[in-house]
Amino acid sequence: MYRIYLVEDDETITGALKRQLERWDYLVRAAADFGRVAEEYRVFDPHLTLIDISLPFYNGYYWCGEIRKFSQAPIVFISSASDDMNQVMALSMGADDFIAKPFHMEVLTAKVQALLRRSYAFAGDPNTLSCGAVTLDLKAAALRYGGGQLELSRNELRILELLFERQGEAVSREELMGRLWETENFIDDNTLTVNVTRLRRKLEGMGLDGFIRTKKGLGYQIGGEA
């Protein structure tokens, strides 16, 4: 499932965009803190971002530049400031497209679909992630290995999804809790520990001993060097 991040301070537009894109089975998250857009981006790790120019604290150009320091995922500006200078500025900052307000939802959706198709057409099924011989099916909420299949709870799926996306590097406990907050009202440090411990036991039952490794002082990791 493709993830789309909305950075728009007009709640009416944000709500309409979220409803429209969710009808097409996209996972949509709107910015909650306009002073921490890059941090929210890192946690959500979207496949595509829709961002306005005029925002509280810092404008869209600033955040586009910050995001481009660590991600090349598509960014599309949506703004009523659609003169040539703003469009050139957006593209020069690393944006992939510019959609002028007001816009028709169907046109925006078609542009999003086309950009996702061009960007990820050769990246495989977005509903499936792999780490070696282990496959995570996001749509079925299941992990497959050696002919066996493990059904996952919602929290277990979220934990594994982030670890698979960042395989080979340590993922902090804070980032994992941030991913879990998308499905629960509150996740504390102890709840995360319980979830990881239970998940490890299930993985061991499939013959995946040590699949999730603890990196002291850093977090958890799958793949890469032990």
Side-chain angles (χ1 to χ4, degrees):
M1 177 182 291
Y2 288 117
R3 296 180 299 279
I4 298 179
Y5 184 39
L6 302 180
V7 189
E8 164 64 68
D9 63 331
D10 187 316
E11 294 183 4
T12 300
I13 294 175
T14 297
L17 283 169
K18 195 170 189 296
R19 289 189 296 273
Q20 171 71 8
L21 293 168
E22 286 176 343
R23 290 192 190 104
W24 291 88
D25 293 327
Y26 296 124
L27 178 61
V28 183
R29 179 173 177 178
D33 185 342
F34 290 99
R36 302 176 62 189
V37 168
E39 293 175 54
E40 289 187 1
Y41 184 103
R42 283 184 182 275
V43 172
F44 188 49
D45 191 23
H47 293 95
L48 182 144
T49 297
L50 294 172
I51 188 168
D52 195 2
I53 294 175
S54 179
L55 297 167
F57 301 108
Y58 303 98
N59 64 29
Y61 297 137
Y62 172 82
W63 289 121
C64 182
E66 290 299 295
I67 291 168
R68 279 290 174 256
K69 291 177 181 178
F70 58 86
S71 174
Q72 293 303 312
I75 296 175
V76 178
F77 273 86
I78 50 172
S79 177
S80 56
S82 57
D83 56 273
D84 289 346
M85 182 176 293
N86 276 299
Q87 293 193 41
V88 169
M89 182 70 170
L91 295 173
S92 67
M93 291 298 295
D96 297 270
D97 203 347
F98 192 110
I99 300 175
K101 296 178 183 176
F103 49 77
H104 291 289
M105 284 294 179
E106 292 75 14
V107 173
L108 180 139
T109 303
K111 283 179 171 285
V112 165
Q113 290 172 331
L115 189 51
L116 287 171
R117 187 166 56 248
R118 290 198 302 270
S119 301
Y120 301 102
F122 303 105
D125 184 354
N127 292 315
T128 303
L129 300 173
S130 297
C131 179
V134 184
T135 300
L136 181 65
D137 188 326
L138 302 176
K139 193 170 184 179
L143 183 137
R144 303 187 181 97
Y145 172 72
Q149 177 168 302
L150 174 65
E151 302 300 322
L152 302 167
S153 70
R154 184 169 54 182
N155 280 354
E156 290 166 350
L157 178 64
R158 288 289 190 181
I159 290 169
L160 284 173
E161 181 182 11
L162 185 53
L163 292 174
F164 268 76
E165 290 170 350
R166 302 270 297 279
Q167 59 185 277
E169 60 180 286
V171 179
S172 71
R173 295 176 64 85
E174 289 74 18
E175 288 178 277
L176 285 166
M177 286 189 286
R179 181 64 65 92
L180 294 181
W181 283 336
E182 296 172 17
T183 57
E184 300 290 342
N185 292 326
F186 179 72
I187 297 292
D188 61 17
D189 197 67
N190 182 62
T191 304
L192 176 62
T193 298
V194 170
N195 275 274
V196 171
T197 300
R198 183 170 56 233
L199 179 55
R200 278 173 161 163
R201 290 199 190 105
K202 290 183 177 181
L203 293 170
E204 288 169 4
M206 293 184 73
L208 289 169
D209 297 37
F211 183 69
I212 299 176
R213 304 192 302 278
T214 299
K215 307 294 285 186
K216 191 173 181 179
L218 297 175
Y220 300 104
Q221 179 179 324
I222 66 170
E225 296 182 2

